[in-house]
Amino acid sequence: MTDPTQPAAAVPPAAVHLRDGENGTPVTETLYEQIGGHATFRKLVHEFYIGVTDDPVLKPMYPEEDLGPAEERLTLFLEQYWGGPGTYSAQRGHPRLRLRHQPFKVNPDARDRWLAHMRHAVDTLALSPLHDATLWDYLERAAFAMVNTFDD
């Protein structure tokens, strides 16, 4: 039993470092590794872009006729974010997500369409509940952060 008159023992804050430096070697098993690495992220993004291909709001936001380059960029970005190779930054520099999306009208409708296609893609992975929730939390927050207008 603890003595309420005594101060509680100091608990050091938890420090989680996924890499030993910027773009460094992972020092713990990352979510990237836990959910299957490159194959999983490739499938996620491919399934997402299947939906985007026929979406009248989202498809015009991709300047390439072929969605292949966009698919590759998103795969590299998500892999790096979740602890995979640092290829995205090596090829493109800092992600600057809001800046890169600024030329496009990302309103709540576009956000919701993006999220619907991404939700379907995540569901195809059949992740554990913890991994699904962790990935989805980030994707949802990122989608809300990309909204840059409330105009139709």
Side-chain angles (χ1 to χ4, degrees):
M1 187 164 168
T2 60
D3 182 349
T5 63
Q6 298 298 315
V11 176
V16 177
H17 302 284
L18 295 179
R19 297 184 181 274
D20 64 5
E22 186 174 347
N23 298 322
T25 305
V27 295
T28 59
E29 186 175 51
T30 64
L31 185 122
Y32 172 81
E33 295 164 324
Q34 291 171 13
I35 67 172
H38 177 74
T40 299
F41 282 93
R42 174 69 63 199
K43 179 179 180 178
L44 170 70
V45 174
H46 183 73
E47 290 292 332
F48 168 74
Y49 278 107
I50 288 172
V52 170
T53 299
D54 295 324
D55 191 295
V57 172
L58 298 182
K59 177 64 169 78
M61 293 185 191
Y62 295 90
E64 295 97 357
E65 190 61 33
D66 173 22
L67 289 176
E71 189 171 326
E72 179 68 14
R73 289 189 300 267
L74 182 56
T75 300
L76 293 175
F77 170 76
L78 290 173
E79 287 179 333
Q80 179 174 303
Y81 183 86
W82 290 106
T87 310
Y88 181 91
S89 287
Q91 290 181 356
R92 297 182 52 84
H94 190 280
R96 303 181 317 219
L97 292 180
R98 285 193 53 85
L99 181 64
R100 291 185 195 273
H101 289 83
Q102 197 59 42
F104 307 103
K105 182 172 81 171
V106 182
N107 61 16
D109 180 46
R111 175 202 62 212
D112 293 347
R113 288 167 177 268
W114 191 94
L115 284 169
H117 296 303
M118 191 56 81
R119 181 70 255 175
H120 170 76
V122 170
D123 289 346
T124 68
L125 301 177
L127 299 173
S128 73
L130 177 60
H131 290 125
D132 185 290
T134 302
L135 180 60
W136 185 248
D137 177 65
Y138 167 75
L139 294 168
E140 195 170 46
R141 285 184 292 112
F144 273 78
M146 292 303 107
V147 172
N148 58 25
T149 184
F150 288 93
D151 295 336
D152 287 336

